[in-house]
Amino acid sequence: MKKHSQRAFSPRQGWHGKRALLIAGIIAAVFAALFLACFINHQAHLRSESGLLTPPGIMVDMGGGQMHVYTEGSGGETLVFLSGGGTCAPVLDFKFLYSLLSGEYRIAVVEKFGYGYSGDSGGRSRDIDTILGDTRSALLAAGVEGPYVLCPHSMSGLEALRWAQKYPGEISAIVGLDMAVPEAYGEMPIHMPALYLGQFAVRAGIPRLLPGIAEGDAVRFGTLTQAEKETYRALFYRRTASPDMLAEAEVVKDNARAVAAGGVPRVSMLLFVSDGSGGTGFSTDVWRGFQRDYLAGVENGRIVELDCPHYVHDHEYRRISAEIRNFIRSLPQ
């Protein structure tokens, strides 16, 4: 009779298995405790920082949410600054540049839903025409009438171009602050899972454990006071990866296609272009190539290439302000 070999059960093996489960449970408990402590710390900081967040401009009711519009200065031209995607504190981010211009022009900074001091949209569509409609309505509600010189950064280039396509009579010119043109989004990868993971990390307060992460270009360069830097950091922890920002990212390629289909608007343009570093995801030659190709279809257009990162207005604000003055003075009256 053939004997079947059987491996005898060892009590030691059972103990090893239980010990592995015990260790795994302890590790999981430690991580859960650390996560909870991080979240509680984050919530405590949000409460303590709320006193820093008094809007310096006008909060306008948009029927379901509020948007913040900041103005200063006066003059014959109105410059409207539109922030790039994911910029947590537009009013402070643009401050170095518009403070050099507000002695001669009227300045308006529109903070979209989910940005800066503005509230959330409550799930409002982030298609390009809705975003543009919100901006136009917010400006009028704040008493800021056109015509406008639009000054968009990055993703807001799409909104500025759409504005000039649909309402050309409202636009005197476009001053692109390293603005994105539609063709760039055809080759730009959008990693939504990574963005949602980042949103989860922000809500948990994990960025507070990473020294320097809130030190954006607006904090590290330029002329913000210490109090303004503290406000910028408070807005960073509160507004980074907001639901509206991620909703914009989800539809940005569709928005770019809609703007591309509308053609190149007949409006004067001055485009300041970075070296592509600091947020575009493209090499210098490729990034500048997008701008050059687009400007080739503009009748009255000029490009100024700057040897600095993507947030050009935080680095070359003195040169940009001088170039803007010369450009506006050259516009047909």
Side-chain angles (χ1 to χ4, degrees):
M1 176 180 275
K2 193 182 278 188
K3 292 185 178 180
H4 295 278
S5 61
Q6 292 184 349
R7 182 177 295 176
F9 174 77
S10 168
R12 181 183 291 271
Q13 289 176 320
W15 163 241
H16 283 319
K18 291 179 180 178
R19 184 171 65 177
L21 288 174
L22 179 61
I23 292 172
I26 291 173
I27 292 173
V30 169
F31 273 106
L34 290 174
F35 180 84
L36 181 61
C38 183
F39 178 75
I40 292 172
N41 174 67
H42 178 51
Q43 295 301 311
H45 275 89
L46 290 178
R47 288 191 292 273
S48 66
E49 291 163 353
S50 61
L52 299 171
L53 302 179
T54 301
I58 301 171
M59 298 298 295
V60 297
D61 189 355
M62 299 293 293
Q66 289 190 318
M67 285 177 60
H68 178 238
V69 180
Y70 174 78
T71 61
E72 74 173 49
S74 60
E77 295 284 352
T78 298
L79 278 57
V80 176
F81 288 82
L82 306 169
S83 71
T87 301
C88 62
V91 168
L92 295 174
D93 180 60
F94 286 124
K95 186 175 189 298
F96 317 145
L97 179 55
Y98 67 65
S99 64
L100 296 176
L101 295 165
S102 59
E104 191 169 346
Y105 308 108
R106 188 179 191 189
I107 302 300
V109 183
V110 181
E111 295 190 320
K112 295 180 288 186
F113 283 121
Y115 288 70
Y117 297 93
S118 292
D120 294 324
S121 71
R124 190 190 298 242
S125 171
R126 294 294 82 196
D127 71 272
I128 192 66
D129 289 329
T130 300
I131 292 173
L132 174 56
D134 289 343
T135 298
R136 294 175 68 240
S137 296
L139 281 170
L140 293 177
V144 182
E145 297 182 349
Y148 310 112
V149 175
L150 301 180
C151 301
H153 174 237
S154 195
M155 186 190 292
S156 281
L158 298 178
E159 183 179 0
L161 295 173
R162 189 64 162 178
W163 203 333
Q165 288 170 351
K166 296 189 69 174
Y167 309 101
E170 297 179 3
I171 309 303
S172 299
I174 293 176
V175 175
L177 302 172
D178 213 31
M179 77 178 200
V181 297
E183 289 71 19
Y185 288 100
E187 300 182 30
M188 185 181 295
I190 308 293
H191 302 292
M192 292 309 302
L195 292 177
Y196 279 109
L197 181 62
Q199 184 184 68
F200 175 79
V202 169
R203 289 180 175 178
I206 293 174
R208 291 187 187 272
L209 304 178
L210 306 174
I213 194 171
E215 309 295 300
D217 287 3
V219 172
R220 291 184 289 117
F221 306 100
T223 57
L224 293 184
T225 66
Q226 190 58 41
E228 288 169 336
K229 290 178 180 180
E230 292 178 5
T231 299
Y232 182 97
R233 295 184 187 104
L235 287 167
F236 174 89
Y237 292 122
R238 190 174 297 258
R239 283 331 232 163
T240 296
S242 71
D244 287 304
M245 290 178 182
L246 267 62
E248 284 179 355
E250 285 186 328
V251 299
V252 68
K253 286 183 177 289
D254 291 336
N255 287 342
R257 283 189 286 268
V259 175
V264 178
R266 297 177 61 84
V267 62
S268 299
M269 295 188 197
L270 172 62
L271 303 187
F272 296 98
V273 185
S274 75
D275 60 14
S277 65
T280 71
F282 294 103
S283 68
T284 300
D285 289 342
V286 172
W287 180 247
R288 289 178 176 174
F290 290 134
Q291 319 292 328
R292 294 188 194 115
D293 291 346
Y294 194 85
L295 206 64
V298 177
E299 184 174 335
N300 182 23
R302 178 169 169 250
I303 190 168
V304 178
E305 296 179 353
L306 303 171
D307 293 323
C308 68
H310 184 44
Y311 279 73
V312 293
H313 47 280
D314 289 337
H315 294 267
E316 294 282 358
Y317 44 92
R318 291 187 180 89
R319 179 181 177 183
I320 292 172
S321 66
E323 294 275 7
I324 288 176
R325 285 192 185 89
N326 291 334
F327 173 67
I328 291 177
R329 288 167 186 162
S330 73
L331 294 175
Q333 299 299 315

